[in-house]
Amino acid sequence: MASKFTELAIDCADPGGLARFWCSVLGYEVQYEDDEIVTIGSPAVPEGKNRPGPVPPTLTFARVPEGKTVKNRLHIDVNPTDREQDEEVRRLLDLGARHADVGQGEESWVVLVDPEGNEFCVLATRCP
């Protein structure tokens, strides 16, 4: 058995605010919250370590004093599940995302940044 990808930790200035944004993006809910850390995850995942099969990863937002300064080396890709890519991009912009230019050129995905400037991509055709 290999390891499972179960959690992505994201440093930020406002864990609660960023968690609310990503809950809206992904349909997740808050699983743990204090002043310094907020963890969100899929409401469809049962608790416990002995979960068979794929597990949607949780996202943990941790308060740090320093701000983001350069392009992320790791980022999240999202796939719209019930609408077209352009409709999803509009929805995410309404939630507080912004367009970003990271030198991607003309591609099938759209690069956005979350409210704290973390890049993520909205894919057009691949749906896991």
Side-chain angles (χ1 to χ4, degrees), residues 78-82 123-128:
V78 298
N79 288 282
T81 58
D82 62 353
L123 303 182
T125 57
R126 191 179 79 202
C127 194

Side-chain angles (χ1 to χ4, degrees), residues 7-20 32-39 59-68 116 118:
E7 183 171 344
L8 178 63
I10 301 169
D11 291 348
C12 61
D14 178 11
L18 205 53
R20 283 188 298 279
Y32 173 83
E33 182 172 13
D34 67 25
D35 290 340
E36 301 299 314
I37 293 175
V38 180
T39 298
L59 302 180
T60 296
F61 303 93
R63 185 181 313 279
V64 296
E66 68 276 358
K68 182 179 178 298
E116 291 206 16
N118 299 300

Side-chain angles (χ1 to χ4, degrees), residues 21-99:
F21 171 81
W22 282 103
C23 279
S24 295
V25 171
L26 300 171
Y28 275 19
E29 60 188 21
V30 172
Q31 295 179 337
Y32 173 83
E33 182 172 13
D34 67 25
D35 290 340
E36 301 299 314
I37 293 175
V38 180
T39 298
I40 66 172
S42 173
V45 176
E47 292 295 321
K49 286 184 155 185
N50 298 322
R51 299 178 295 223
V55 176
T58 60
L59 302 180
T60 296
F61 303 93
R63 185 181 313 279
V64 296
E66 68 276 358
K68 182 179 178 298
T69 57
V70 298
K71 179 181 175 291
N72 294 355
R73 293 189 69 178
L74 177 73
H75 68 266
I76 296 171
D77 287 346
V78 298
N79 288 282
T81 58
D82 62 353
R83 62 193 63 145
E84 296 299 319
Q85 180 191 40
D86 61 334
E87 296 171 294
E88 181 66 355
V89 168
R90 279 194 300 277
R91 183 182 82 86
L92 299 176
L93 292 170
D94 288 345
L95 291 173
R98 298 179 317 277
H99 282 281

